[in-house]
């Protein structure tokens, strides 16, 4: 805990950003699960769910950029900044693989593989971000 000149206790710099990062990482991980569920519903239940699958990503796609900004303001490790960027980059790759099916079907086959990588990295970030959010908390 830091103090300012008037002796008022101040929370450690960046802690709010680390907590927000952990919240967004958790939200992102849940959203990836929902996105996979929607793809499964479209594949095995009703094709109308493809519209939901393609619409839902617009709610999720910028969360990694928010996480990237919070990683800087929260003074998180450099690897977490790169991991946040990697999540966003993989989302861009998902758009690419989803839209080249007619021209390059083999490339489109990587769409679910990239989804697995996004899921794995998203799951990895959650416990690590919550652990780092605890640094500097009041005891």
């Amino acid at each position: 805990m830091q103090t300012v000149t008037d002796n008022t206790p101040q929370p450690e710099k960046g802690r709010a950003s680390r907590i927000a990062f952990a919240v967004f990482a958790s939200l992102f991980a849940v959203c990836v699960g929902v996105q996979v569920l929607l793809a499964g519903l479209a594949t095995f239940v009703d094709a109308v769910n493809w519209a939901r699958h393609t619409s839902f990503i617009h709610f999720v796609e910028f969360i990694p950029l928010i996480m990237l900004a919070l990683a800087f303001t929260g003074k998180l490790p450099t690897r977490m900044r790169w991991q946040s960027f990697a999540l966003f980059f993989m989302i861009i790759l998902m758009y690419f693989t989803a839209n080249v099916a007619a021209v390059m079907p083999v490339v489109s086959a990587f769409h679910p593989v990239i989804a697995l990588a996004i899921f794995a990295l998203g799951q990895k970030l959650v416990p690590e971000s919550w652990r780092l959010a605890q640094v500097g908390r009041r005891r």
Side-chain angles (χ1 to χ4, degrees):
M1 180 139 343
Q2 297 175 345
T3 57
V4 290
T5 54
D6 65 355
N7 291 329
T8 307
Q10 300 293 319
E12 181 193 324
K13 259 185 153 179
R15 182 157 187 270
S17 292
R18 289 192 300 275
I19 292 170
F21 182 96
V23 168
F24 277 105
S26 300
L27 175 65
F28 183 79
V30 169
C31 287
V32 170
V34 169
Q35 187 71 336
V36 171
L37 174 66
L38 291 171
L41 288 170
T43 303
F44 298 109
V45 178
D46 189 347
V48 74
N49 288 297
W50 283 124
R52 293 181 179 121
H53 176 77
T54 57
S55 296
F56 185 69
I57 187 58
H58 300 302
F59 172 72
V60 178
E61 63 192 358
F62 293 108
I63 293 175
L65 288 181
I66 295 168
M67 291 167 54
L68 179 60
L70 291 168
F72 278 96
T73 59
K75 298 177 180 25
L76 289 170
T78 303
R79 79 175 175 285
M80 292 180 82
R81 296 173 187 174
W82 280 109
Q83 289 168 338
S84 298
F85 176 78
L87 288 172
F88 182 71
F89 182 73
M90 285 189 284
I91 290 172
I92 293 169
L93 288 177
M94 293 291 279
Y95 275 112
F96 177 74
T97 58
N99 290 300
V100 297
V103 183
M104 296 182 279
V106 173
V107 173
S108 291
F110 283 96
H111 192 83
V113 176
I114 297 168
L116 286 172
I118 290 171
F119 181 78
L121 183 54
Q123 293 298 315
K124 180 186 182 305
L125 279 171
V126 172
E128 187 175 8
S129 63
W130 280 110
R131 182 181 56 78
L132 291 172
Q134 300 300 314
V135 174
R137 75 166 202 227
R138 296 180 197 184
R139 305 222 189 277

